[in-house]
Amino acid sequence: MADFDAIVVGSGCAGSVAAYELAKAGKSVLVVERGNYAGAKNMTGGRIYTHSLKKVFPDFESEAPLERKITHERISLISEDANFTVDFSSEDMKPEEQCSYAVLRGPFDQWLAEKAEDAGAEYIYGIAIEKLVKDDSGKICGVVAGEDEITADVVLLCDGVNSLLTEQAVGYKRPPASAIAVGIKQTIELPASVITDRVLAGNDDEGAAWLFSGYSTHGTFGGGFMYTNKESISLGVVAGIEATMNHGKVPVYQMLEDLKAHPAVAPLIKGGKVVEHSGHMVPEGGINIMPELIGDGVLLAGESAMMCVNLGYQVRGMDYAVAAGQFAGQAAAQALDAGDTSKAGLQGYVDMLENSFVLKDLKQYKNVPAFMEGFDRMFDGYPEMVRDMMNKMFIVDGTPVPPMKKSMLPIVKKMGFMNLFKDVRGAMKAL
């Protein structure tokens, strides 16, 4: 007889939600987390679109340690000496079924773990699982934790993008460097009223999500991000590993320091105190690098299943992880009830994902990673072009004003009409 019905490796969004669903179904479940507490290894920007969270915890807004509701969307093209920003706000961003919040993953992941523990799940921390246990037929039947073997009828892998176990579980080879980015983030403490005033929020419960392209990564593939918490700002950079290695002249940590000093950002964080500095790898390849999601005795969810997408104007991962964790926990419980945790017995998990927004979204955006990776002009070209166009429009120096066409045409010609056409066409096809 196995030690547990289920073992979950990792206590992020996917892991703790899966454990919660299993425990709620009356299954004995153990969660093993290599960090010293839930959220210790997570540095996501962080923002969560809460539609999937509400399906698991209907009253989450009164319970979860949420930061500010996002009521401003900002996207900036920045060159070294200029900033062009689109600021969008809408009343449609506020209803529960379509809102999003900034979160700090430490407190948020601990809350998720507490919900799972309250439902009956057991947690152990500070142990890295590097090996899976298999029976004579090759079916996964447990994990090696330190010097101990712990057995289970089903194992759920939710251990992140740099999983040590997916190859053992489903034969997955690590994705290429071109499909992975490295993220670095600082949490900068500021008074709530200062943050509210600086981002033009309506009150101390509302805030902004801000994405930067161009100088934030010194012209290489990637971008900067900023999210407003209640009394801090999360500011960071995500840069493609291969692009930074092959084409970049600036290390990622220096990109962040230069972003902090940029005229568009420095006033926002002036007087702030850095209270956290962290780094993390981020999957950028979407469904193109997704491993097989099930095997005999095993399921994969969250970042270990590469459930993340970066559209340039929107970054998503946590809502996918929450939904996948819910489906994984429910499917595993059903398989346990049926007495069949083989690959065929766990097929219900894949079926749930196929019928949900998770795989439908990832399939819809399957061409985005390749397009973004080759969209060099978004990072080095368009920010400078827009700067030059805005300078022509807004700078008045007493010289006669030429016709707008005469001012703009040389700037656009320098970029190339064919390049503009190719990029617009590529974006329309990818999105």
Side-chain angles (χ1 to χ4, degrees):
M1 182 175 176
D3 298 318
F4 292 89
D5 292 325
I7 293 174
V8 179
V9 183
S11 64
C13 293
S16 285
V17 170
Y20 170 80
E21 291 290 342
L22 280 158
K24 190 174 70 168
K27 309 306 178 188
S28 60
V29 54
L30 174 69
V31 182
V32 187
E33 165 59 42
R34 64 178 176 144
N36 293 326
Y37 56 87
K41 297 293 184 181
N42 285 327
M43 58 76 58
T44 307
R47 175 196 199 164
I48 184 167
Y49 296 91
T50 55
H51 60 98
S52 55
L53 187 66
K54 190 166 186 64
K55 291 186 173 96
V56 185
F57 306 110
D59 300 320
F60 76 91
E61 288 189 308
S62 63
E63 301 177 34
L66 303 169
E67 297 297 322
R68 293 176 185 241
K69 180 178 285 189
I70 301 301
T71 56
H72 282 264
E73 299 278 2
R74 291 185 181 147
I75 300 175
S76 288
L77 295 180
I78 58 174
S79 59
E80 186 173 2
D81 56 352
N83 163 40
F84 177 82
T85 297
V86 175
D87 185 340
F88 176 73
S89 61
S90 168
E91 290 302 306
D92 286 345
M93 297 165 65
K94 295 181 180 181
E96 286 184 9
E97 64 273 11
Q98 52 201 40
C99 70
S100 65
Y101 285 87
V103 292
L104 293 167
R105 286 298 295 273
F108 184 74
D109 285 13
Q110 289 173 61
W111 174 75
L112 284 177
E114 287 170 6
K115 297 297 288 186
E117 286 184 296
D118 290 345
E122 297 182 40
Y123 276 69
I124 56 173
Y125 295 101
I127 295 178
I129 303 299
E130 298 181 358
K131 187 177 179 182
L132 298 173
V133 179
K134 299 182 179 181
D135 64 18
D136 293 339
S137 68
K139 181 177 182 288
I140 306 298
C141 60
V143 301
V144 177
E147 298 180 355
D148 299 322
E149 283 191 1
I150 308 175
T151 58
D153 292 315
V154 64
V155 174
L156 291 80
L157 300 184
C158 309
D159 53 333
V161 59
N162 196 27
S163 173
L164 302 172
L165 304 173
T166 51
E167 183 174 0
Q168 298 175 46
V170 293
Y172 179 70
K173 301 297 182 182
R174 292 197 176 192
S178 61
I180 301 294
V182 59
I184 184 171
K185 183 198 81 172
Q186 289 183 351
T187 303
I188 301 168
E189 200 172 73
L190 284 164
S193 60
V194 171
I195 295 171
T196 300
D197 292 344
R198 289 180 181 178
V199 301
L200 305 178
N203 54 61
D204 291 352
D205 293 320
E206 297 181 357
W210 196 345
L211 300 179
F212 303 87
S213 180
Y215 181 71
S216 54
T217 51
H218 284 260
T220 58
F221 171 59
F225 61 84
M226 185 281 295
Y227 299 102
T228 50
N229 308 312
K230 288 180 178 176
E231 295 184 325
S232 66
I233 284 174
S234 294
L235 182 69
V237 168
V238 176
I241 289 177
E242 184 176 79
T244 302
M245 179 177 64
N246 293 340
H247 310 297
K249 299 177 181 179
V250 179
V252 177
Y253 64 83
Q254 188 60 51
M255 291 178 186
L256 178 55
E257 291 303 313
D258 291 345
L259 179 61
K260 289 168 64 179
H262 192 276
V265 177
L268 181 67
I269 60 174
K270 183 179 179 181
K273 177 184 177 183
V274 176
V275 294
E276 180 187 51
H277 183 98
S278 55
H280 187 66
M281 286 201 295
V282 182
E284 295 277 332
I287 201 166
N288 305 300
I289 59 169
M290 180 175 283
E292 197 168 4
L293 298 175
I294 54 174
D296 285 334
V298 67
L299 304 91
L300 280 67
E303 281 194 346
S304 63
M306 307 298 163
M307 293 175 177
C308 186
V309 64
N310 181 355
L311 303 178
Y313 62 89
Q314 185 184 84
V315 180
R316 290 173 61 187
M318 279 191 267
D319 61 327
Y320 294 143
V322 169
Q326 181 182 29
F327 298 148
Q330 291 174 348
Q334 291 169 9
L336 287 164
D337 287 340
D340 181 7
T341 56
S342 68
K343 184 176 181 179
L346 295 170
Q347 179 61 35
Y349 170 55
V350 178
D351 294 341
M352 291 179 188
L353 288 170
E354 291 277 5
N355 292 322
S356 77
F357 71 95
V358 179
L359 286 185
K360 289 180 179 179
D361 283 1
L362 291 170
K363 288 177 180 178
Q364 171 66 31
Y365 296 129
K366 67 180 180 180
N367 295 324
V368 170
F371 169 71
M372 292 298 293
E373 188 180 349
F375 197 13
D376 295 339
R377 284 177 288 273
M378 177 55 70
F379 314 110
D380 184 11
Y382 288 139
E384 291 75 18
M385 182 188 79
V386 171
R387 174 201 61 196
D388 294 344
M389 295 174 73
M390 295 300 104
N391 279 339
K392 291 294 185 183
M393 288 178 63
F394 295 114
I395 291 178
V396 177
D397 60 4
T399 58
V401 179
M404 183 69 76
K405 180 179 178 180
K406 189 175 180 180
S407 297
M408 298 299 167
L409 204 55
I411 299 171
V412 178
K413 278 185 175 180
K414 184 178 178 181
M415 178 59 62
F417 287 107
M418 186 54 67
N419 287 332
L420 287 166
F421 173 75
K422 284 165 56 179
D423 289 338
V424 170
R425 183 171 179 270
M428 294 302 293
K429 288 178 67 177
L431 298 171

